[in-house]
């Protein structure tokens, strides 16, 4: 929860807040996310407007996951930007705004006294900013589709060309011709 008392209800009033908070659980997707309890650095700009408090901010957090190509661990830093209007609970536009938001399927953010909860906005912003397919490095070759060997460890890795079973008899026939044997006539 963040406090807006210092800001007051004077439109145009502005304050900046910097805070480091522990990351909540489940802040990520299947392959990458922010570890629970990791420090999330938040820089906020709180601006008083007629209808409430406009919160604009940036969040930086460490990311941990796995490369989608080779399954090696990935460690990175994520940056997410966000903006949200927290309306005053007793503002005149509350009914109109709440009705409009319900039609769109969005939840309206309201101040609770002089406090607002940033977690839902932060969660949405961070998850949307995550890479959908994280890689350990941009040119990661991944894994061998035949045996699962990590191709970055052995760039010369290859397998003999597989022969289609439908052509196996013809391959055997060509080998007998190449060896000088005469094919049997049946």
């Amino acid at each position: 929860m963040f406090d807006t008392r210092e800001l007051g209800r004077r439109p145009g009033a502005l304050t900046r807040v910097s805070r480091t908070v522990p990351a909540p659980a489940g802040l990520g997707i299947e392959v990458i996310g922010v570890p629970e309890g990791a420090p999330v650095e938040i820089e906020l700009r709180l601006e008083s407007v007629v209808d409430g408090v406009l919160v604009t901010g940036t969040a930086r957090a460490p990311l941990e996951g796995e490369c989608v190509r080779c399954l090696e661990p990935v460690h990175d830093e994520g940056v997410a930007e966000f903006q949200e209007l927290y309306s005053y609970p007793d503002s005149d536009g509350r009914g109109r705004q709440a009705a409009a938001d319900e039609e769109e399927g969005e939840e309206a953010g309201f101040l609770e006294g002089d406090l607002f909860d940033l977690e839902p906005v932060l969660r949405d912003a961070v998850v949307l900013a995550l890479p959908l397919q994280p890689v350990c490095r941009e040119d990661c070759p991944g894994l061998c589709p035949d045996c699962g060997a990590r191709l970055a460890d052995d760039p010369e890795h290859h397998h003999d060309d597989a022969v289609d079973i439908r052509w196996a008899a013809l391959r055997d026939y060509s080998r007998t011709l190449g060896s000088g044997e005469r094919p049997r006539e049946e």
Side-chain angles (χ1 to χ4, degrees), residues 44-127:
L44 297 177
R45 178 179 175 215
L46 309 175
E47 185 176 355
S48 181
V49 294
V50 174
D51 293 333
V53 177
L54 181 64
V55 178
T56 306
T58 303
R60 293 182 184 280
L63 301 177
E64 291 184 7
E66 62 183 25
C67 176
V68 295
R69 295 182 189 161
C70 69
L71 305 177
E72 288 294 310
V74 172
H75 303 283
D76 202 359
E77 180 182 63
V79 178
E81 295 182 357
F82 52 90
Q83 186 173 47
E84 182 75 12
L85 175 65
Y86 290 91
S87 299
Y88 297 123
D90 58 352
S91 68
D92 293 342
R94 180 180 179 193
R96 290 191 307 271
Q97 183 64 34
D101 287 341
E102 286 174 10
E103 289 175 9
E104 295 176 15
E106 298 178 8
E107 293 182 20
F110 288 100
L111 290 171
E112 298 172 15
D114 290 326
L115 304 174
F116 65 91
D117 184 11
L118 189 64
E119 184 178 339
V121 173
L122 181 66
R123 181 177 298 279
D124 290 347
V126 168
V127 170

